[in-house]
Protein backbone atom coordinates (compact mmCIF):
# COMPACT_ATOMS: atom_id res chain seq x y z
CA UNK A 1 0.00 0.00 0.00
CA UNK A 2 1.28 3.47 -0.83
CA UNK A 3 2.63 5.46 2.07
CA UNK A 4 1.93 9.17 2.45
CA UNK A 5 2.45 10.82 -0.91
CA UNK A 6 2.02 14.57 -0.38
CA UNK A 7 -0.13 16.39 -2.92
CA UNK A 8 1.98 18.26 -5.46
CA UNK A 9 5.12 16.30 -4.63
CA UNK A 10 7.90 15.29 -7.00
CA UNK A 11 7.47 11.54 -7.38
CA UNK A 12 10.61 10.01 -8.85
CA UNK A 13 10.61 6.67 -10.66
CA UNK A 14 14.02 5.08 -11.18
CA UNK A 15 14.95 2.05 -13.24
CA UNK A 16 13.33 -1.08 -11.74
CA UNK A 17 16.04 -2.93 -9.86
CA UNK A 18 18.18 0.15 -9.30
CA UNK A 19 18.75 1.11 -5.68
CA UNK A 20 17.84 4.35 -3.93
CA UNK A 21 20.63 3.54 -1.52
CA UNK A 22 23.96 5.01 -0.38
CA UNK A 23 25.31 1.46 -0.40
CA UNK A 24 25.83 1.64 -4.16
CA UNK A 25 26.36 5.32 -4.86
CA UNK A 26 25.15 4.77 -8.42
CA UNK A 27 24.77 8.00 -10.34
CA UNK A 28 21.06 8.19 -11.12
CA UNK A 29 19.74 7.55 -7.58
CA UNK A 30 22.41 9.95 -6.29
CA UNK A 31 20.90 12.65 -8.50
CA UNK A 32 17.42 11.85 -7.18
CA UNK A 33 18.75 11.99 -3.62
CA UNK A 34 20.41 15.34 -4.28
CA UNK A 35 17.26 16.89 -5.74
CA UNK A 36 15.09 15.47 -2.96
CA UNK A 37 17.43 16.63 -0.21
CA UNK A 38 17.27 20.15 -1.65
CA UNK A 39 13.47 20.38 -1.40
CA UNK A 40 12.74 23.99 -0.38
CA UNK A 41 11.21 24.65 3.04
CA UNK A 42 7.45 24.36 2.90
CA UNK A 43 7.44 22.35 -0.33
CA UNK A 44 6.02 18.79 -0.30
CA UNK A 45 8.53 16.07 0.56
CA UNK A 46 9.73 14.09 -2.44
CA UNK A 47 8.81 10.44 -2.99
CA UNK A 48 10.71 7.69 -4.83
CA UNK A 49 9.14 4.52 -6.26
CA UNK A 50 11.46 1.62 -5.42
CA UNK A 51 11.13 -2.06 -6.30
CA UNK A 52 10.58 -4.19 -3.21
CA UNK A 53 13.61 -6.34 -2.37
CA UNK A 54 16.34 -3.85 -3.27
CA UNK A 55 18.77 -2.51 -0.68
CA UNK A 56 16.94 -1.97 2.64
CA UNK A 57 19.05 1.07 3.56
CA UNK A 58 17.63 4.08 1.77
CA UNK A 59 18.62 7.69 1.37
CA UNK A 60 16.83 9.72 4.07
CA UNK A 61 15.95 12.57 1.71
CA UNK A 62 12.65 11.16 0.41
CA UNK A 63 9.79 8.87 1.30
CA UNK A 64 9.57 5.57 -0.54
CA UNK A 65 6.69 3.88 -2.32
CA UNK A 66 7.48 0.19 -2.75
CA UNK A 67 6.03 -1.94 -5.51
CA UNK A 68 6.29 -5.59 -6.46
CA UNK A 69 8.88 -5.94 -9.24
CA UNK A 70 8.08 -7.59 -12.54
CA UNK A 71 11.26 -9.00 -14.11
CA UNK A 72 11.99 -8.30 -17.74
CA UNK A 73 12.60 -11.28 -19.97
CA UNK A 74 15.75 -11.49 -22.05
CA UNK A 75 13.65 -11.78 -25.20
CA UNK A 76 11.77 -8.56 -24.39
CA UNK A 77 14.49 -6.43 -25.95
CA UNK A 78 14.17 -8.19 -29.30
CA UNK A 79 10.38 -8.14 -29.19
CA UNK A 80 10.42 -4.45 -28.36
CA UNK A 81 12.80 -3.69 -31.21
CA UNK A 82 10.49 -5.49 -33.64
CA UNK A 83 7.41 -3.76 -32.19
CA UNK A 84 9.04 -0.35 -32.55
CA UNK A 85 9.73 -0.98 -36.23
CA UNK A 86 6.05 -1.79 -36.69
CA UNK A 87 4.91 1.29 -34.80
CA UNK A 88 3.69 -0.75 -31.82
CA UNK A 89 4.34 -0.11 -28.10
CA UNK A 90 7.42 -1.60 -26.43
CA UNK A 91 5.44 -3.84 -24.12
CA UNK A 92 8.53 -5.51 -22.64
CA UNK A 93 9.88 -2.20 -21.34
CA UNK A 94 6.46 -1.07 -20.15
CA UNK A 95 5.59 -4.16 -18.12
CA UNK A 96 7.90 -3.46 -15.14
CA UNK A 97 7.14 0.25 -15.36
CA UNK A 98 3.42 -0.40 -15.11
CA UNK A 99 4.17 -2.19 -11.84
CA UNK A 100 5.92 0.92 -10.54
CA UNK A 101 2.78 2.94 -11.30
CA UNK A 102 0.30 0.35 -10.04
CA UNK A 103 -0.88 2.60 -7.20
CA UNK A 104 -0.95 5.87 -9.13
CA UNK A 105 -4.76 6.11 -8.89
CA UNK A 106 -4.30 6.44 -5.11
CA UNK A 107 -1.50 9.00 -5.28
CA UNK A 108 -2.47 12.64 -4.89
CA UNK A 109 -1.81 14.81 -7.92
CA UNK A 110 1.98 14.81 -8.42
CA UNK A 111 4.72 15.54 -10.90
CA UNK A 112 5.98 12.07 -11.91
CA UNK A 113 9.61 12.21 -13.03
CA UNK A 114 10.72 9.13 -14.96
CA UNK A 115 14.51 8.93 -14.81
CA UNK A 116 15.88 7.53 -18.07
CA UNK A 117 12.45 5.98 -18.66
CA UNK A 118 10.80 7.26 -21.86
CA UNK A 119 8.38 4.32 -21.85
CA UNK A 120 7.04 5.45 -18.46
CA UNK A 121 5.58 8.64 -19.93
CA UNK A 122 2.58 7.12 -21.77
CA UNK A 123 1.73 5.03 -18.68
CA UNK A 124 1.24 8.03 -16.39
CA UNK A 125 -2.40 8.97 -15.78
CA UNK A 126 -2.39 12.41 -17.39
CA UNK A 127 -5.75 13.32 -15.84
CA UNK A 128 -4.21 13.05 -12.39
CA UNK A 129 -0.46 13.58 -12.73
CA UNK A 130 2.06 15.43 -14.88
CA UNK A 131 4.68 13.24 -16.58
CA UNK A 132 8.27 14.41 -16.99
CA UNK A 133 11.07 12.48 -18.71
CA UNK A 134 14.36 13.11 -16.88
CA UNK A 135 17.16 12.25 -19.31
CA UNK A 136 20.54 11.43 -17.78
CA UNK A 137 21.82 9.93 -21.04
CA UNK A 138 21.05 9.88 -24.74
CA UNK A 139 17.86 7.84 -24.54
CA UNK A 140 16.33 8.07 -27.99
CA UNK A 141 19.03 6.62 -30.24
CA UNK A 142 16.90 3.54 -30.96
CA UNK A 143 13.75 5.63 -31.52
CA UNK A 144 12.55 6.92 -34.85
CA UNK A 145 11.29 10.52 -34.69
CA UNK A 146 7.76 9.17 -35.15
CA UNK A 147 8.04 6.77 -32.21
CA UNK A 148 9.72 9.40 -30.02
CA UNK A 149 6.85 11.78 -30.78
CA UNK A 150 4.23 9.16 -30.01
CA UNK A 151 5.82 8.09 -26.73
CA UNK A 152 6.72 11.55 -25.42
CA UNK A 153 3.71 13.51 -26.60
CA UNK A 154 2.11 13.26 -23.10
CA UNK A 155 5.27 14.58 -21.41
CA UNK A 156 4.95 18.01 -19.88
CA UNK A 157 8.72 18.39 -20.02
CA UNK A 158 11.89 16.58 -21.07
CA UNK A 159 14.57 17.54 -18.56
CA UNK A 160 18.19 16.85 -19.56
CA UNK A 161 21.24 16.91 -17.28
CA UNK A 162 23.34 18.86 -19.79
CA UNK A 163 23.08 20.88 -22.96
CA UNK A 164 24.99 18.07 -24.65
CA UNK A 165 22.21 15.59 -23.82
CA UNK A 166 19.49 18.15 -24.58
CA UNK A 167 20.83 18.82 -28.08
CA UNK A 168 20.91 15.13 -28.96
CA UNK A 169 17.50 14.54 -27.44
CA UNK A 170 15.93 17.44 -29.34
CA UNK A 171 17.39 16.11 -32.60
CA UNK A 172 15.17 13.02 -32.20
CA UNK A 173 11.97 14.98 -31.56
CA UNK A 174 9.55 16.79 -33.86
CA UNK A 175 9.61 20.61 -33.63
CA UNK A 176 6.43 20.76 -31.51
CA UNK A 177 8.11 18.75 -28.72
CA UNK A 178 11.50 20.46 -28.79
CA UNK A 179 10.09 23.41 -26.87
CA UNK A 180 9.60 21.09 -23.90
CA UNK A 181 13.29 20.16 -23.68
CA UNK A 182 15.05 21.91 -20.80
CA UNK A 183 18.47 21.66 -19.15
CA UNK A 184 18.92 21.17 -15.40
CA UNK A 185 22.59 20.62 -14.63
CA UNK A 186 23.39 18.19 -11.84
CA UNK A 187 24.60 19.54 -8.53
CA UNK A 188 26.85 18.35 -5.73
CA UNK A 189 26.39 17.52 -2.06
CA UNK A 190 28.63 20.12 -0.43
CA UNK A 191 28.00 18.70 3.04
CA UNK A 192 29.44 15.30 2.07
CA UNK A 193 32.02 16.54 -0.43
CA UNK A 194 33.90 19.33 1.32
CA UNK A 195 37.52 20.45 1.69
CA UNK A 196 39.78 18.88 4.29
CA UNK A 197 41.04 20.78 7.31
CA UNK A 198 44.74 20.02 6.96
CA UNK A 199 46.98 22.46 5.09
CA UNK A 200 49.52 21.22 2.57
CA UNK A 201 53.00 20.55 3.87
CA UNK A 202 55.85 21.87 1.74
CA UNK A 203 57.61 19.13 -0.17
CA UNK A 204 54.68 16.72 -0.16
CA UNK A 205 54.02 14.97 -3.49
CA UNK A 206 51.11 15.96 -5.71
CA UNK A 207 48.28 13.62 -4.74
CA UNK A 208 46.14 12.58 -7.71
CA UNK A 209 42.90 10.62 -7.38
CA UNK A 210 40.77 8.79 -9.96
CA UNK A 211 37.31 7.63 -8.85
CA UNK A 212 35.05 5.67 -11.17
CA UNK A 213 34.36 2.40 -12.89
CA UNK A 214 37.63 0.83 -13.96
CA UNK A 215 36.63 0.33 -17.58
CA UNK A 216 38.21 1.70 -20.79
CA UNK A 217 35.45 4.30 -21.30
CA UNK A 218 36.39 5.97 -18.01
CA UNK A 219 40.05 6.16 -19.00
CA UNK A 220 42.04 5.01 -15.95
CA UNK A 221 44.63 3.69 -18.43
CA UNK A 222 45.02 7.25 -19.74
CA UNK A 223 46.05 8.28 -16.24
CA UNK A 224 48.49 5.38 -15.94
CA UNK A 225 50.03 6.25 -19.32
CA UNK A 226 50.34 9.89 -18.24
CA UNK A 227 52.12 8.86 -15.04
CA UNK A 228 54.48 6.61 -17.01
CA UNK A 229 55.37 9.59 -19.19
CA UNK A 230 56.06 11.74 -16.12
CA UNK A 231 57.96 9.19 -13.97
CA UNK A 232 58.06 11.75 -11.16
CA UNK A 233 58.42 10.64 -7.53
CA UNK A 234 56.60 13.82 -6.48
CA UNK A 235 53.38 12.78 -8.29
CA UNK A 236 51.46 9.90 -6.70
CA UNK A 237 48.04 8.53 -7.62
CA UNK A 238 45.20 6.53 -6.11
CA UNK A 239 42.84 4.68 -8.45
CA UNK A 240 39.51 3.93 -6.77
CA UNK A 241 36.93 1.72 -8.42
CA UNK A 242 35.77 -1.55 -9.88
CA UNK A 243 33.79 -2.23 -13.05
CA UNK A 244 30.59 -2.39 -10.96
CA UNK A 245 29.69 -2.02 -7.27
CA UNK A 246 31.24 -5.24 -5.96
CA UNK A 247 34.49 -4.48 -4.11
CA UNK A 248 35.38 -8.17 -3.79
CA UNK A 249 34.90 -9.09 -7.46
CA UNK A 250 37.89 -10.69 -9.19
CA UNK A 251 39.95 -8.41 -11.40
CA UNK A 252 38.91 -8.21 -15.02
CA UNK A 253 41.40 -8.70 -17.81
CA UNK A 254 41.47 -4.92 -18.34
CA UNK A 255 42.25 -4.31 -14.66
CA UNK A 256 45.02 -6.90 -14.66
CA UNK A 257 46.57 -5.30 -17.74
CA UNK A 258 46.24 -1.87 -16.15
CA UNK A 259 48.09 -2.94 -13.02
CA UNK A 260 50.76 -4.67 -15.03
CA UNK A 261 51.32 -1.50 -17.07
CA UNK A 262 51.65 0.53 -13.85
CA UNK A 263 54.15 -1.86 -12.26
CA UNK A 264 57.19 0.29 -13.16
CA UNK A 265 55.68 3.08 -11.08
CA UNK A 266 55.87 0.97 -7.93
CA UNK A 267 54.28 2.56 -4.86
CA UNK A 268 53.47 5.75 -6.78
CA UNK A 269 50.13 4.16 -7.73
CA UNK A 270 47.74 2.76 -5.14
CA UNK A 271 44.72 0.61 -6.10
CA UNK A 272 41.51 0.56 -4.11
CA UNK A 273 38.28 -1.26 -4.99
CA UNK A 274 34.82 0.32 -4.93
CA UNK A 275 34.21 2.33 -1.76
CA UNK A 276 31.02 3.68 -0.13
CA UNK A 277 30.35 7.34 -0.84
CA UNK A 278 31.50 8.62 2.55
CA UNK A 279 34.87 6.93 2.05
CA UNK A 280 35.10 8.30 -1.50
CA UNK A 281 34.49 11.77 -0.09
CA UNK A 282 37.31 11.29 2.43
CA UNK A 283 39.69 10.18 -0.33
CA UNK A 284 38.82 13.23 -2.41
CA UNK A 285 39.38 15.54 0.57
CA UNK A 286 42.95 14.22 0.73
CA UNK A 287 43.55 14.86 -3.00
CA UNK A 288 45.31 17.77 -4.65
CA UNK A 289 43.96 16.80 -8.06
CA UNK A 290 40.97 14.71 -9.14
CA UNK A 291 41.19 13.43 -12.71
CA UNK A 292 38.23 12.54 -14.94
CA UNK A 293 39.99 11.20 -18.07
CA UNK A 294 36.92 9.74 -19.78
CA UNK A 295 37.08 8.63 -23.38
CA UNK A 296 33.33 8.46 -23.89
CA UNK A 297 31.06 11.47 -24.05
CA UNK A 298 29.95 11.63 -20.42
CA UNK A 299 26.46 13.14 -20.18
CA UNK A 300 27.60 15.22 -17.18
CA UNK A 301 30.11 13.46 -14.81
CA UNK A 302 29.20 13.97 -11.16
CA UNK A 303 32.81 13.33 -10.17
CA UNK A 304 33.84 16.68 -11.64
CA UNK A 305 31.79 18.69 -9.13
CA UNK A 306 32.47 16.22 -6.30
CA UNK A 307 36.21 16.66 -6.74
CA UNK A 308 35.88 20.44 -6.90
CA UNK A 309 33.66 20.56 -3.80
CA UNK A 310 36.33 18.52 -1.99
CA UNK A 311 38.85 21.29 -2.60
CA UNK A 312 40.79 19.54 -5.36
CA UNK A 313 41.83 20.89 -8.72
CA UNK A 314 39.99 18.93 -11.41
CA UNK A 315 41.61 17.86 -14.66
CA UNK A 316 39.03 16.37 -17.01
CA UNK A 317 38.51 15.33 -20.60
CA UNK A 318 36.84 17.82 -22.91
CA UNK A 319 34.02 15.55 -24.05
CA UNK A 320 30.25 15.28 -23.75
CA UNK A 321 28.79 17.28 -20.87
CA UNK A 322 32.05 17.43 -18.88
CA UNK A 323 32.86 21.01 -19.98
CA UNK A 324 29.44 22.10 -18.67
CA UNK A 325 30.14 20.45 -15.32
CA UNK A 326 33.61 22.01 -15.11
CA UNK A 327 32.65 25.49 -16.28
CA UNK A 328 35.66 27.77 -16.45
CA UNK A 329 37.11 26.37 -13.23
CA UNK A 330 38.59 23.01 -14.22
CA UNK A 331 41.48 22.15 -16.50
CA UNK A 332 40.21 20.47 -19.68
CA UNK A 333 42.33 18.19 -21.88
CA UNK A 334 41.54 16.25 -25.07
CA UNK A 335 39.98 12.83 -24.35
CA UNK A 336 42.28 9.83 -24.70
CA UNK A 337 45.47 11.91 -24.64
CA UNK A 338 47.98 10.82 -21.97
CA UNK A 339 50.42 13.48 -23.22
CA UNK A 340 47.92 16.28 -22.54
CA UNK A 341 47.00 14.83 -19.15
CA UNK A 342 50.70 14.48 -18.23
CA UNK A 343 51.34 18.10 -19.22
CA UNK A 344 48.41 19.31 -17.09
CA UNK A 345 49.61 17.33 -14.05
CA UNK A 346 53.18 18.50 -14.54
CA UNK A 347 52.04 22.12 -14.65
CA UNK A 348 50.21 21.75 -11.35
CA UNK A 349 53.12 19.86 -9.75
CA UNK A 350 55.68 22.46 -10.81
CA UNK A 351 53.64 25.55 -9.96
CA UNK A 352 52.12 25.24 -6.50
CA UNK A 353 50.69 28.77 -6.76
CA UNK A 354 48.81 27.67 -9.88
CA UNK A 355 47.64 24.57 -8.01
CA UNK A 356 46.33 26.70 -5.15
CA UNK A 357 44.46 29.15 -7.38
CA UNK A 358 43.00 26.31 -9.44
CA UNK A 359 41.78 24.56 -6.30
CA UNK A 360 40.19 27.77 -5.03
CA UNK A 361 38.51 28.41 -8.38
CA UNK A 362 37.16 24.85 -8.50
CA UNK A 363 35.83 25.07 -4.95
CA UNK A 364 33.96 28.31 -5.64
CA UNK A 365 32.44 26.81 -8.77
CA UNK A 366 31.20 23.71 -6.94
CA UNK A 367 29.75 25.71 -4.07
CA UNK A 368 27.77 27.79 -6.56
CA UNK A 369 26.42 24.63 -8.20
CA UNK A 370 25.20 22.55 -5.28
CA UNK A 371 21.94 20.58 -5.25
CA UNK A 372 20.02 23.59 -3.97
CA UNK A 373 20.94 25.44 -7.15
CA UNK A 374 19.93 22.43 -9.26
CA UNK A 375 16.60 22.10 -7.45
CA UNK A 376 15.88 25.83 -7.91
CA UNK A 377 16.50 25.44 -11.63
CA UNK A 378 14.25 22.38 -11.80
CA UNK A 379 11.46 24.22 -10.00
CA UNK A 380 11.78 27.20 -12.36
CA UNK A 381 11.72 24.88 -15.40
CA UNK A 382 8.62 23.05 -14.19
CA UNK A 383 6.97 26.33 -13.21
CA UNK A 384 7.62 27.86 -16.63
CA UNK A 385 5.88 24.87 -18.19
CA UNK A 386 2.99 25.02 -15.74
CA UNK A 387 3.88 21.74 -14.01
CA UNK A 388 4.41 22.81 -10.40
CA UNK A 389 0.74 22.56 -9.52
CA UNK A 390 -1.23 19.65 -10.92
CA UNK A 391 -5.02 19.67 -10.86
CA UNK A 392 -6.56 16.91 -8.77
CA UNK A 393 -8.31 14.03 -10.52
CA UNK A 394 -11.79 14.96 -11.68
CA UNK A 395 -11.18 18.72 -11.57
CA UNK A 396 -11.76 20.35 -14.96
CA UNK A 397 -8.95 22.32 -16.50
CA UNK A 398 -9.21 26.09 -16.14
Amino acid sequence: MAIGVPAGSHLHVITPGDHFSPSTGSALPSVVHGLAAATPPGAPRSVVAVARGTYPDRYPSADVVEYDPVPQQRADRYRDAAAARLGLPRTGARRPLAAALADQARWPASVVLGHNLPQLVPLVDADRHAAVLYAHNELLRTYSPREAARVLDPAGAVVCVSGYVAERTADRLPPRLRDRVRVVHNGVDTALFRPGDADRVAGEPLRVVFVGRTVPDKGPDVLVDALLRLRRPDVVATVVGTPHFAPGAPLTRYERELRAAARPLGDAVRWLPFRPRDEVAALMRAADVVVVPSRWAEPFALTVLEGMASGAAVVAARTGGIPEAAGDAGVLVPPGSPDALAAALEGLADDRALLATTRERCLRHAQAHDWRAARRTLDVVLGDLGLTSVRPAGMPAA
Side-chain angles (χ1 to χ4, degrees):
M1 180 174 180
I3 63 173
V5 178
S9 67
H10 289 179
L11 199 149
H12 300 270
V13 183
I14 61 178
T15 308
D18 207 345
H19 316 291
F20 186 62
S21 171
S23 293
T24 69
S26 59
L28 192 154
S30 296
V31 171
V32 174
H33 166 56
L35 292 170
T39 300
R45 185 170 166 84
S46 295
V47 180
V48 183
V50 176
R52 188 173 283 107
T54 60
Y55 279 82
D57 58 323
R58 307 274 170 73
Y59 284 117
S61 54
D63 293 327
V64 166
V65 172
E66 286 193 325
Y67 62 89
D68 293 320
V70 175
Q72 275 191 291
Q73 304 298 319
R74 180 173 295 182
D76 283 343
R77 181 183 302 178
Y78 304 104
R79 295 193 190 101
D80 282 355
R85 287 194 294 270
L86 295 172
L88 300 173
R90 304 190 186 201
T91 56
R94 291 188 183 185
R95 194 179 306 113
L97 300 179
L101 296 175
D103 281 341
Q104 66 173 315
R106 292 189 283 167
W107 298 341
S110 306
V111 179
V112 179
L113 301 107
H115 291 268
N116 275 2
L117 299 173
Q119 291 295 328
L120 182 85
V121 171
L123 300 178
V124 174
D125 180 356
D127 289 332
R128 179 179 291 268
H129 310 293
V132 173
L133 173 63
Y134 211 116
H136 301 253
N137 303 91
E138 296 179 56
L139 303 177
L140 304 179
R141 285 177 293 185
T142 65
Y143 286 69
S144 68
R146 178 173 295 184
E147 184 189 11
R150 184 173 65 251
V151 170
L152 296 182
D153 189 61
V158 178
V159 174
C160 300
V161 298
S162 64
Y164 173 82
V165 172
E167 181 180 348
R168 280 147 187 80
T169 300
D171 285 345
R172 308 295 297 181
L173 296 174
R176 62 184 173 81
L177 293 185
R178 291 174 190 165
D179 289 342
R180 303 182 202 174
V181 177
R182 296 289 192 276
V183 176
V184 177
H185 288 134
N186 289 328
V188 62
D189 183 347
T190 52
L192 177 61
F193 295 94
R194 62 187 187 276
D197 297 327
D199 294 328
R200 280 197 55 82
V201 177
E204 280 189 333
L206 186 79
R207 297 163 298 191
V208 180
V209 170
F210 166 95
V211 176
R213 290 184 298 119
T214 47
V215 296
D217 280 349
K218 292 290 188 176
D221 58 287
V222 180
L223 171 60
V224 168
D225 285 346
L227 296 173
L228 287 167
R229 281 160 171 74
L230 290 174
R231 298 288 180 108
R232 291 181 56 150
D234 61 342
V235 178
V236 298
T238 301
V239 177
V240 185
T242 48
H244 302 291
F245 300 116
L251 297 179
T252 64
R253 178 179 177 180
Y254 173 75
E255 290 177 302
R256 293 194 301 272
E257 292 173 350
L258 195 60
R259 296 186 186 205
R263 199 167 292 132
L265 298 169
D267 294 339
V269 180
R270 179 170 62 139
W271 306 91
L272 295 176
F274 167 81
R275 287 288 192 269
R277 282 176 68 73
D278 58 343
E279 293 185 32
V280 168
L283 288 164
M284 285 189 174
R285 277 195 291 277
D288 297 307
V289 180
V290 169
V291 293
V292 187
S294 300
R295 283 190 175 84
W296 77 297
E298 298 258 11
F300 185 84
L302 292 172
T303 308
V304 170
L305 285 180
E306 291 169 352
M308 290 181 172
S310 303
V314 169
V315 180
R318 188 185 293 106
T319 183
I322 288 178
E324 297 174 60
D328 60 1
V331 179
L332 297 177
V333 296
S337 173
D339 289 328
L341 180 56
L345 294 176
E346 188 165 42
L348 294 171
D350 287 340
D351 189 340
R352 294 308 171 103
L354 173 63
L355 173 63
T357 57
T358 304
R359 293 178 68 172
E360 291 169 5
R361 188 171 66 243
C362 287
L363 179 59
R364 287 195 302 270
H365 176 75
Q367 291 174 337
H369 294 84
D370 64 2
W371 282 117
R372 290 174 298 176
R375 176 60 191 257
R376 285 195 297 269
T377 303
L378 176 61
D379 287 342
V380 168
V381 163
L382 298 181
D384 287 347
L385 294 171
L387 301 179
T388 50
S389 58
V390 184
R391 57 190 170 88
M395 179 180 292

